[in-house]
Amino acid sequence: MNQEWSLDVLYHGYEDPKFDEDMKKFESEVAGMKEKIEAAKKLDPVKGLETCLMVKEEMAALGSRLGEFISLKASVNTSDSKTNDMGARYDRIAANQTAANVAFCKYVASIENLDQVIAQSSLLTEYNYYLTEIKKDAAHMLSDDMEDLIAHMDITGGGAWGKLFDYLTSTLKVDYEGEVITLPAVRNLATSEDKEVRKKAYEAELASYDKIADSIAFALNNIKGQVSMLSEKKGYESPLAMTLEQCHMKKETLDAMFTAMREYLPKFWEYLKAKAKYLGYEGGLPWYEMFAPVGKMDSNYTAETARDTLVENFSHFSKELSDMMARAFAESWIDFYPHEGKVGGAFCANVTTEKQSRILTNFNGSFDSVVTLAHELGHAFHNKQIFENRILNQDYSMPVAETASTFNETHITCLAIAKATGEEKLALLDNILMNTTQVICDIYSRFLFEDSVFNACEDRFLMPEDLKAMMLDAQKKAYGDGLDPEYMHPYMWACKGHYYSEALSYYNFPYAFGAMLAMGLYSMYLKEGEAFLPKYNKFLHATTVMSVEDTAAVVGIDLTSKDFWRESLKSFADMIDEFVELT
């Protein structure tokens, strides 16, 4: 089994004649795209919209194929000059689509009887949600020339600052115990069995950020400044309001979720203090002990044993899902291990034209890294469901993006807990509670931090010391007395790429959203068994063609109800009670 992914399904490298042919075709087609859109606008509305959609479908297929290949190559070698060159070339070409896309959106918005026009065509009917959302969002569009200028300026603006963050963190050299290691490698030591290793790794990690803190602070200030300026110019109340519209999500839903989270924060602090006491500390848990193993698990996974565990465990839930997992391992969809130049963390990327996915992890052999694989394979299963939609109907919004992945995490961990006893059960309970604390307490701290950055950067430039202070303040509010105030993580803003996207702000609350929605869905599965699966697949399929609230309604969930979120959190509270009792 290969330990690195294969991208041959796209291209056999940059020297592949097909890559050069497609890049030239992409450039040519983009150059003529606006002319085709303008010609289509002269037809009757039904034929005009159909023509525009077919043009956009062709461009989406070609652009995604090239863009995905370059992006995936970059993620495993951020310093590769050929990839950086190709990425810059691709970005310049792709930005030239903006004028055509703006013209299309304004064309859609100009059709007064859009519902009636859509009803006259099967193609338009498939794109009903896509078209109606475009008409709604058109109110926030600027002039054609301005939108085109923004897209081109972003290449050397917000987009470039984001790439700088990726480069700096992926090539950062960390001095640890006389050796030089990568940032992902030192962060992986947080799960070591040895307390001294965990503490020294934490100290080495924090010390390493001093080398890049100023540069990353400049990146963060400029990205958030750009987003703030654009949200104001486009007529949004705030960057958060713009994000919620991008998410197709009501503020009422976000408020209901956060209300329930704040009510349950003290319960998670109780877990952290119980873990601290178990490890021999008084009061709150030091940050470097957050991921310390608790209990005992006699398992050190290889890529092969991780595969066997996942395929076996999920075969009892969904044969479709377990078969896809087996295929992912067999066909080299996964890049497993950390190395210099590879980005940290984990992600799953669509390979749209081939109806496949590619998964990046920094696998370390722990059960938690198996859970991470399950998480990313959940994204791949979600992709599998939306690949049934037409290509322009394959973008799901941030909140629902983390649901299938977190469902998988919940399933594999709960199965393991049910079979375990004694120290192994304690270890598994700690694993799920540790991960859930990350998506409740830590995600809440990240939301508070990002919100404070947006508010502050309008009036002043935030230096590293400012950002560290703001992060510590957010962590104190989110973690309460669950953490030792002497050992927190003031540089959490310097290691999370979610802050450094000019296109996606507040990419934090979707993790909490996904965890709680997944627990609600998992509770339904436990009650309904096999009868749940068709509804689950229908839910995932709907995530790209409905609002967040309407998608949840497919399985009978009201996301604007605080009680739904409270019920999900109660399931975790029950686990905390069991953990406290066992420790």
Side-chain angles (χ1 to χ4, degrees), residues 17 59 152 209 211 229 259 280 291 310 352 432 438 445 450 475 511 539 545 578-579:
M59 294 306 304
H152 282 82
Y209 292 122
K211 303 173 186 177
M229 180 269 292
T259 296
F291 304 102
L310 291 168
T352 309
I432 194 170
Q438 287 294 293
S445 75
E450 187 163 1
Q475 287 174 353
Y511 287 92
F539 165 87
V545 292
E578 187 173 8
F579 178 86

Side-chain angles (χ1 to χ4, degrees), residues 260-461:
M261 283 173 60
R262 284 190 289 267
E263 290 172 1
Y264 273 84
L265 284 176
K267 197 68 183 177
F268 287 90
W269 304 344
E270 186 180 332
Y271 154 69
L272 291 168
K273 287 183 287 187
K275 181 168 183 173
K277 186 175 181 180
Y278 177 85
L279 293 172
Y281 298 93
E282 294 294 329
L285 185 71
W287 189 282
Y288 59 84
E289 297 290 45
M290 188 93 71
F291 304 102
V294 165
K296 186 70 175 175
M297 288 188 68
D298 296 322
S299 56
N300 187 23
Y301 292 88
T302 64
E304 289 78 11
T305 57
R307 172 198 61 201
D308 297 342
T309 299
L310 291 168
V311 172
E312 166 62 21
N313 276 278
F314 282 90
S315 66
H316 303 293
F317 167 63
S318 164
K319 186 174 186 304
E320 181 185 0
L321 174 53
S322 64
D323 285 351
M324 186 216 70
M325 288 180 163
R327 183 185 175 198
F329 285 93
E331 297 183 8
S332 301
W333 290 12
I334 307 170
D335 199 283
F336 287 94
Y337 296 102
H339 59 75
E340 186 174 351
K342 180 177 176 178
V343 298
F347 67 74
C348 176
N350 297 11
V351 181
T352 309
T353 56
E354 307 307 315
K355 298 188 176 182
Q356 297 180 15
S357 297
R358 289 296 180 271
I359 290 164
L360 178 143
T361 73
N362 282 273
F363 189 80
N364 66 359
S366 66
F367 178 74
D368 193 48
S369 64
V370 178
V371 172
T372 297
L373 273 172
H375 178 104
E376 301 307 334
L377 287 161
H379 284 302
F381 186 67
H382 194 169
N383 293 343
K384 188 176 187 296
Q385 305 308 311
I386 65 169
F387 285 150
E388 297 173 11
N389 294 328
R390 300 188 74 98
I391 193 167
L392 302 179
N393 275 343
Q394 291 182 15
D395 289 331
Y396 42 70
S397 63
M398 286 197 301
V400 291
E402 296 301 329
T403 306
S405 53
T406 314
F407 184 97
N408 273 16
E409 282 192 46
T410 304
H411 180 63
I412 191 170
T413 309
C414 287
L415 276 182
I417 290 171
K419 296 175 186 175
T421 58
E423 290 289 293
E424 185 179 15
K425 186 168 190 175
L426 181 60
L428 289 164
L429 273 171
D430 179 62
N431 185 275
I432 194 170
L433 291 174
M434 174 183 66
N435 288 332
T436 307
T437 300
Q438 287 294 293
V439 296
I440 301 300
C441 297
D442 204 60
I443 287 301
Y444 186 51
S445 75
R446 293 190 219 174
F447 177 86
L448 293 175
F449 170 79
E450 187 163 1
D451 211 41
S452 65
V453 168
F454 269 122
N455 291 330
C457 73
E458 293 182 7
D459 301 318
R460 61 194 176 99
F461 191 90

Side-chain angles (χ1 to χ4, degrees), residues 46-81:
V46 174
K47 189 63 177 175
L49 283 177
E50 287 180 334
T51 302
C52 289
L53 288 169
M54 287 186 284
V55 169
K56 286 179 66 63
E57 283 188 334
E58 182 181 0
M59 294 306 304
L62 186 57
S64 65
R65 185 178 181 86
L66 289 162
E68 288 156 8
F69 180 74
I70 295 168
S71 176
L72 291 169
K73 293 279 282 185
S75 65
V76 293
N77 190 356
T78 58
S79 58
D80 179 56
S81 59

Side-chain angles (χ1 to χ4, degrees), residues 21 46 63 112 200 231 233 238 259 272 274 417 419 435 472 479 491 541 545:
E21 177 187 329
V46 174
E112 294 183 6
K200 288 177 181 177
S231 67
K233 296 295 183 185
S238 65
T259 296
L272 291 168
I417 290 171
K419 296 175 186 175
N435 288 332
L472 288 174
Y479 283 101
Y491 277 114
H541 184 270
V545 292

